[in-house]
Amino acid sequence: MSRVGLATIAREWGRIGCIGFGGPPAHIALLRDLCVTRRKWLGDAEFEEGVAATNLLPGPASTQLAILCAWRLRGAPGALVGGFCFIVPGLVLILALAALFLAADPPPWVLGAAAGAGAAVPAVALHAAWGLAPGSWRRVGHVRAARARWVAYLVAGGAAAAVTGPWLVLVLVAAGAVETAVGAPSGKRASWPVVLALPAAGGGLGAVAWVAAKVGALSYGGGFVIIPMMRQDAVHTYGWMTDAQFLDAVALGQVTPGPVVQTVAVVGYAAAGLTGGLLAAVVAFAPSFAFVILAGPRLERLRHNRTAQSFLTGAGAAAIGAIAGSALPLAGSLHAGWQFAVLAAALVWLPALRRGVVTALLAAGAVGALTALL
């Protein structure tokens, strides 16, 4: 295979960053089409190993996959260029929308569209959890004790997301640590560091960076698990946003291309304007670049690492519970009767009929805009 130029990586990864609506499934399909089917830069098995390896890491898996594919083509420079071009289009769009939605006096139709899209977000959370559960359940096998632990992790994660706020991270790590301890051979119990989920002292840009660091480095099981963590910090701990504005931020993270982790850029914008939004994005995505560039040669060994697999089984189950549990406080943020009607329709459209998330949010936003104008 001839050497792939950085300009080619920038162009192709930037194109995917512009059209990557629909979350991780769309990103994976676009990367596969580019790298395996059309350009034949990577083989099928190589690409699948990359998907499996990045799913073992905390953080946005599809972003890490984009960085990993570029790293395989041109090493660290390729990873930096590819990851940057994959992330930036969605980041620019979500910050522009944040400026519109969080303006001091936005037009009524903008507020209505935000309220409508936000009303569908709890249904999106349930839909995301429902989609992740079967794969996680299959990981535990047929042993009754393992299945019982999986259910316990799921319930613990759901309860933590619904009621414990900043302690959710500790629950996720504890679930992974317990499963690791159970699965480790006798005399080789793994010791996992305690991860502090306490808010940073003070506020300002330091607090923005701390919140973004937790989002980027401590989210297991998919991007939506960060929602209850961010909500606690953004709404209750620091008061950067109202509950309604946070729902808007989550909706923006869903309807723009790129990972839902970009929601943290809206939180950063609410806290400290454009500087806060850019800082939050840089800090949240930095671990993904570090994981791939520093551990790239050894990354795929994680697939065969028993400790890593056990940790993901426990933390992943708790994360799925947390995603589902986040629907309760999110639904509790709704206040208008028509918003509950939108939520009911979204519950039918997404978990029941299993239709598209972007379509649901755009339709909910349109209903909200029309309601505000009538």
Side-chain angles (χ1 to χ4, degrees):
M1 182 185 71
S2 60
R3 186 177 176 89
V4 179
L6 292 178
T8 300
I9 292 175
R11 182 180 67 252
E12 296 291 355
W13 267 249
R15 180 182 64 85
I16 293 175
C18 290
I19 65 174
F21 294 90
H27 304 156
I28 293 172
L30 289 167
L31 287 166
R32 179 192 292 278
D33 179 66
L34 170 66
C35 296
V36 178
T37 305
R38 290 196 292 111
R39 296 298 192 113
K40 302 189 185 306
W41 288 328
L42 302 174
D44 258 321
E46 193 176 13
F47 186 84
E48 291 301 327
E49 287 174 357
V51 173
T54 51
N55 274 315
L56 289 172
L57 298 174
S62 60
T63 301
Q64 291 163 348
L65 179 63
I67 297 169
L68 178 63
C69 289
W71 175 83
R72 282 176 169 164
L73 300 181
R74 281 297 300 268
L80 292 171
V81 170
F84 179 83
C85 293
F86 177 82
I87 293 167
V88 163
L91 178 62
V92 170
L93 180 56
I94 201 170
L95 286 174
L97 291 173
L100 176 64
F101 279 72
L102 296 175
D105 189 22
W109 70 267
V110 171
L111 293 176
V121 168
V124 174
L126 292 175
H127 176 68
W130 183 261
L132 291 169
S136 179
W137 176 252
R138 286 193 295 269
R139 289 178 62 87
V140 304
H142 301 285
V143 178
R144 185 172 298 179
R147 289 188 167 189
R149 290 196 305 275
W150 186 91
V151 173
Y153 302 146
L154 187 80
V155 172
V163 301
T164 64
W167 302 105
L168 172 59
V169 172
L170 294 181
V171 174
L172 298 182
V173 175
V178 169
E179 188 64 23
T180 299
V182 171
S186 178
K188 296 183 179 181
R189 302 296 186 189
S191 59
W192 291 90
V194 175
V195 180
L196 296 179
L198 294 173
L205 293 178
V208 171
W210 175 243
V211 172
K214 289 191 289 185
V215 167
L218 302 174
S219 55
Y220 295 92
F224 233 95
V225 75
I226 67 173
I227 300 305
M229 288 190 279
M230 278 198 295
R231 177 179 176 270
Q232 175 66 30
D233 286 333
V235 177
H236 299 291
T237 302
Y238 300 110
W240 295 327
M241 315 174 80
T242 65
D243 259 325
Q245 288 173 327
F246 183 76
L247 280 174
D248 300 345
V250 177
L252 292 179
Q254 289 287 315
V255 300
T256 51
V260 71
V261 167
Q262 289 189 143
T263 300
V264 77
V266 185
V267 173
Y269 186 92
L274 183 59
T275 300
L278 292 174
L279 174 65
V282 169
V283 174
F285 285 111
S288 294
F289 285 94
F291 287 145
V292 173
I293 293 173
L294 298 179
R298 298 173 294 278
L299 195 57
E300 286 162 11
R301 299 178 191 173
L302 288 175
R303 291 186 62 198
H304 309 291
N305 185 295
R306 185 173 179 180
T307 298
Q309 293 283 352
S310 295
F311 185 84
L312 182 65
T313 297
I320 294 169
I323 294 170
S326 70
L328 291 177
L330 291 174
S333 302
L334 306 181
H335 54 83
W338 65 268
Q339 286 183 298
F340 290 99
V342 168
L343 174 58
L347 287 170
V348 173
W349 181 260
L350 290 169
L353 299 180
R354 300 188 183 183
R355 301 302 177 91
V357 169
V358 173
T359 304
L361 290 170
L362 291 177
V367 170
L370 289 173
T371 301
L373 293 173
L374 295 178

